Amino acid sequence: FVSIILSLWCVRQVGYDANNVKTILSIGSDMTEKNRLKRELKLSDERYQIAMESADIAIIFVDKGGNVPYLSDVGFNLMGLEKNNSINIEVLLNRIHPNDRDAFISNILDCSNNLKQFSACEVRVLSKDEDFRWFTFKFKLINNPTTGDPCMAGAFYDINDDKEKDLRIEKLAFEDDLTGIYNRQKFLSVVKETLINAKFNNLRYAVVTLNLDKFHRFNDLFGVETGDGILKAVADIIKYNPYGKDCCCARLGNDEFACLIRLDRKEEHLEQYINELSERIKEFSQNQYDEMKLTISAGACIYMENVEDYHDVFERSIFSMRIAKNDPNKIYQAYDSSIKEMILKREVLEKEIVEAVEKKQFELYYQPKVDIHTEKIVGAEALIRWNHPTRGIVGPMEFIPVAEEIGIIDKIGLWTLETACKQNKLWQEQGLTNIKVSVNITSIEFYQTDIVGVVKTTLEQTGLEPKWLEIELTESMALVDVEETILKMNALRELGVGISMDDFGTGYSSLSYIQNLPIDELKLDKSFINKIALDDTTKNIISAIINLAKIIGLVVVAEGVEEREQFNLLKEMNCNIIQGYLFAKPLKKDEIIKMM
């Protein structure tokens, strides 16, 4: 059906016709299309309102006078406002988090000066539940359809769930799991951004890195959970420091931390800060852990003075820290020109070590292990030396730590093991008395490689019986991860290989720990032996260790024996084996053959 609606409009009375009938003039118009458009517009508006309300999107108008001529029902609901309230910009600002108000005002000002684009911001708003939630506001400058005046028309909606999800993801990506402060990745990002801004604003910053000295002792004595508690406490001490908001801190990994500090003071204040930090950490450890002192080694590099690149600042701070760590009289080292020379030398050394591996410039020396009663050689410790083409013989203390850091220690260790096994097998084939040869294994080799598989393959390839090989591990290294250590030690012993505990007495462990480790031999450190003839207390301690070690079935070796008086005392104490300059220094393979 077509519905025609006539609008009857009485214009005027015309009069009567000849038959005396009243005549009325009227005008009719077709309203069908107009009403159809009205219905469609109303339906469209209802759809729009349903869409906005179901999506919880609020509509808002703000005029240039700061009034709010329109706020949708959703807007009132999201903000927890009564609909009969008089709304203006001041009411809105009171609902916005104080720290976000400037951003909101800036957003509106940007919008009022821009005719083409939307202006957007994310702010926290006090919701109907009286909790701050994150909202996105978007505005665009238009003419008010009612008054024709310019106004900011916009929409806002709740993004709190997504924001919290993003924050959780960011926390996982950028925070250290244990301490809650930044991790290495985030710290470097902050350093980069901060130092770029510093360059343009002529500001000075320092990157400080620090390491906890001998932290493993606390883990060994009190357990890993206690160690984790110490790391958390140290993170708090570093975080809440005199530099306050001008300091960003992070845990780089294990027991290393870093700080980025703005320097608007003299450099001596930086050193003072590090000293105060050291004292606070030391005081904390003494109060909590039976007077044990936890000390630090720190390094610093100042931006705008030494280097231009943020990564160089960080790396040179790390390098300075390592220099401080290697000097027992220092807790702090600032980067300077002398350290630059050391870095250049270090780079040369790294290249030369790589070349030494490729060109096989290493050789093994052997130090005899002598039975204390028969004074005959019963074993030998294989000690690596670097036969440098221009410098001559270089000791392991100079190149082994560097080889560990640049990731080639496994190659050097494999060469050492193979060479020692081949040499021992050759001595046996030459008819010499069978002896055990000891090979030192580094922490990286033991924990990060298949050391059991490597030893097994080497023995098979060289033909040496396992009983003539002994693996030496340091006390501190063996106690890094006791469970894994025991598993690997047992696997090596199942092959028939002997296990020796080197440097006993330099750490905080005791024989109660040692008796749980599957070892065959205990080596007393040279620092003990040096005082055996000078100090009755040391003599009594050594005697007790030897007696207890024998009770649990261990062979005891005394290292660093240089004097006959030391030898005689150890013999009286019934020590098994000695090793030291009294009998021989480390010898080349041809020299030790003569002694054998």
Side-chain angles (χ1 to χ4, degrees):
F1 297 94
V2 177
S3 175
I4 300 178
I5 300 174
L6 298 179
S7 174
L8 299 179
W9 178 21
C10 183
V11 180
R12 65 186 176 89
Q13 183 174 330
V14 176
Y16 297 89
D17 61 8
N19 297 318
N20 199 29
V21 177
K22 183 186 290 186
T23 302
I24 297 173
L25 177 65
S26 66
I27 299 173
S29 62
D30 186 346
M31 299 289 291
T32 302
E33 184 65 19
K34 185 175 181 180
N35 284 341
R36 185 182 66 79
L37 293 174
K38 276 186 178 181
R39 286 196 304 272
E40 290 184 359
L41 185 60
K42 182 180 179 182
L43 182 60
S44 175
D45 185 58
E46 287 174 351
R47 288 172 177 165
Y48 172 76
Q49 289 295 334
I50 290 171
M52 293 297 101
E53 289 176 10
S54 63
D56 269 350
I57 298 176
I59 306 301
I60 185 172
F61 284 11
V62 180
D63 64 25
K64 287 200 171 184
N67 298 310
V68 181
Y70 178 74
L71 178 63
S72 67
D73 292 346
V74 175
F76 280 102
N77 183 52
L78 289 175
M79 287 193 172
L81 296 170
E82 295 292 335
K83 195 170 181 181
N84 56 5
N85 284 0
S86 176
I87 305 299
N88 56 34
I89 196 69
E90 187 176 347
V91 173
L92 290 180
L93 289 176
N94 286 337
R95 305 295 293 180
I96 294 174
H97 194 286
N99 294 343
D100 297 338
R101 288 171 187 168
D102 287 345
F104 183 77
I105 293 171
S106 175
N107 184 40
I108 290 181
L109 291 175
D110 287 346
C111 175
S112 66
N113 295 322
N114 193 331
L115 295 174
K116 295 182 179 180
Q117 295 181 345
F118 276 99
S119 177
C121 68
E122 294 179 357
V123 296
R124 286 161 289 181
V125 177
L126 199 59
S127 68
K128 60 184 178 182
D129 299 325
E130 295 301 312
D131 289 327
F132 281 106
R133 296 180 65 83
W134 283 96
F135 283 75
T136 287
F137 280 80
K138 293 184 178 181
F139 288 100
K140 186 175 183 181
L141 185 63
I142 67 168
N143 291 324
N144 190 316
T146 304
T147 65
D149 298 326
C151 74
M152 277 68 73
F156 62 92
Y157 48 93
D158 189 323
I159 60 166
N160 198 71
D161 291 344
D162 290 338
K163 191 74 173 179
E164 287 186 349
K165 188 186 297 182
D166 291 343
L167 291 173
R168 284 195 296 270
I169 293 171
E170 182 177 354
K171 183 176 181 180
L172 290 172
F174 297 134
E175 282 190 10
D176 176 59
D177 290 340
L178 178 64
T179 62
I181 59 177
Y182 286 152
N183 59 17
R184 183 189 187 99
Q185 179 184 354
K186 179 63 175 177
F187 180 74
L188 286 175
S189 174
V190 172
V191 169
K192 180 180 181 180
E193 183 179 345
T194 302
L195 297 190
I196 288 173
N197 293 331
K199 186 173 184 179
F200 291 105
N201 297 311
N202 199 31
L203 298 175
R204 295 166 67 249
Y205 282 84
V207 171
V208 179
T209 52
L210 60 95
N211 176 263
L212 306 181
D213 298 326
K214 298 181 180 178
F215 174 68
H216 67 86
R217 293 178 176 178
F218 289 84
N219 278 334
D220 296 343
L221 284 174
F222 303 110
V224 175
E225 287 188 10
T226 297
D228 288 346
I230 292 172
L231 293 174
K232 291 177 186 178
V234 170
D236 286 339
I237 291 172
I238 297 171
K239 184 176 180 181
Y240 300 107
N241 61 80
Y243 283 77
K245 62 186 178 72
D246 290 329
C247 174
C248 160
C249 61
R251 181 180 174 219
L252 302 179
N254 199 17
D255 56 354
E256 286 191 352
F257 296 84
C259 314
L260 175 65
I261 298 174
R262 180 176 171 181
L263 290 179
D264 49 7
R265 317 168 193 186
K266 295 181 179 178
E267 274 60 52
E268 52 262 31
H269 288 126
L270 178 59
E271 186 170 358
Q272 180 183 350
Y273 159 70
I274 294 172
N275 287 328
E276 289 176 359
L277 194 63
S278 174
E279 288 302 316
R280 289 172 65 194
I281 292 173
K282 192 184 299 181
E283 182 181 355
F284 157 76
S285 62
Q286 285 179 295
N287 291 339
Q288 296 289 325
Y289 303 102
D290 302 328
E291 294 298 314
M292 282 183 64
K293 293 181 182 179
L294 181 60
T295 59
I296 64 172
S297 299
C301 183
I302 301 172
Y303 184 71
M304 296 294 286
E305 285 189 358
N306 304 113
V307 284
E308 289 295 319
D309 181 73
Y310 83 97
H311 201 267
D312 285 344
V313 179
F314 177 72
E315 289 294 333
R316 293 176 185 187
S317 173
I318 291 279
F319 195 85
S320 300
M321 177 192 70
R322 289 174 182 162
I323 291 174
K325 195 168 184 69
N326 291 329
D327 189 339
N329 299 315
K330 279 185 178 180
I331 68 165
Y332 167 67
Q333 174 66 57
Y335 177 82
D336 57 25
S337 56
S338 64
I339 295 178
K340 185 176 181 179
E341 290 294 322
M342 295 177 67
I343 293 175
L344 293 174
K345 289 181 180 178
R346 166 63 180 258
E347 290 177 352
V348 171
L349 180 61
E350 289 180 4
K351 292 177 181 177
E352 288 182 338
I353 292 173
V354 173
E355 187 177 337
V357 173
E358 294 172 352
K359 295 184 177 180
K360 298 181 180 180
Q361 295 174 353
F362 299 107
E363 58 183 288
L364 289 186
Y365 281 53
Y366 299 87
Q367 186 169 33
K369 297 168 74 172
V370 177
D371 184 292
I372 202 166
H373 298 292
T374 64
E375 298 190 19
K376 291 184 177 180
I377 296 174
V378 292
E381 181 179 0
L383 299 167
I384 190 169
R385 299 290 185 265
W386 178 12
N387 195 350
H388 194 280
T390 58
R391 295 168 57 194
I393 299 299
V394 179
M397 293 301 294
E398 185 172 345
F399 66 87
I400 290 295
V402 180
E404 289 181 330
E405 290 180 24
I406 62 177
I408 60 171
I409 190 62
D410 55 334
K411 294 181 180 180
I412 296 175
L414 179 59
W415 177 88
T416 302
L417 181 65
E418 289 178 346
T419 303
C421 290
K422 284 178 182 178
Q423 185 61 62
N424 200 12
K425 180 65 176 176
L426 180 60
W427 287 335
Q428 293 176 1
E429 292 172 348
Q430 291 173 346
L432 298 172
T433 303
N434 291 345
I435 64 171
K436 280 187 178 182
V437 172
S438 304
V439 176
N440 293 281
I441 301 295
T442 66
S443 178
I444 291 176
E445 291 175 89
F446 190 76
Y447 288 110
Q448 298 182 19
T449 67
D450 177 18
I451 186 64
V452 179
V454 169
V455 170
K456 182 179 179 181
T457 300
T458 302
L459 290 171
E460 290 173 351
Q461 290 177 347
T462 59
L464 182 69
E465 290 184 65
K467 65 181 179 180
W468 303 118
L469 173 65
E470 194 165 56
I471 299 298
E472 287 199 13
L473 309 172
T474 63
E475 174 194 357
S476 58
M477 187 194 90
L479 298 177
V480 169
D481 185 337
V482 176
E483 290 186 6
E484 186 176 355
T485 298
I486 291 174
L487 286 173
K488 290 195 171 185
M489 282 183 172
N490 280 326
L492 288 169
R493 291 188 78 189
E494 286 176 8
L495 293 178
V497 173
I499 306 291
S500 177
M501 176 68 72
D502 197 10
D503 296 342
F504 183 79
T506 58
Y508 273 77
S509 60
S510 64
L511 283 172
S512 62
Y513 251 119
I514 299 303
Q515 69 179 344
N516 294 323
L517 298 176
I519 63 175
D520 305 288
E521 183 180 273
L522 192 69
K523 297 185 77 173
L524 296 175
D525 188 67
K526 183 179 185 297
S527 59
F528 264 150
I529 307 305
N530 287 343
K531 297 187 288 185
I532 191 172
L534 306 174
D535 181 3
D536 287 340
T537 301
T538 302
K539 183 168 64 176
N540 292 333
I541 290 173
I542 292 174
S543 179
I545 290 174
I546 292 173
N547 289 331
L548 289 171
K550 285 182 170 294
I551 289 172
I552 59 178
L554 301 180
V555 173
V556 180
V557 179
E559 289 188 285
V561 179
E562 298 179 355
E563 301 171 2
R564 178 58 62 172
E565 186 177 3
Q566 295 171 345
F567 173 85
N568 291 334
L569 287 169
L570 289 165
K571 190 172 183 179
E572 289 175 12
M573 296 175 187
N574 207 24
C575 181
N576 300 104
I577 297 171
I578 67 160
Q579 182 179 344
Y581 280 22
L582 178 64
F583 278 85
K585 63 182 181 179
L587 304 170
K588 290 185 176 183
K589 58 184 178 182
D590 296 333
E591 294 172 330
I592 195 173
I593 286 178
K594 296 176 183 178
M595 291 192 69
M596 292 168 67

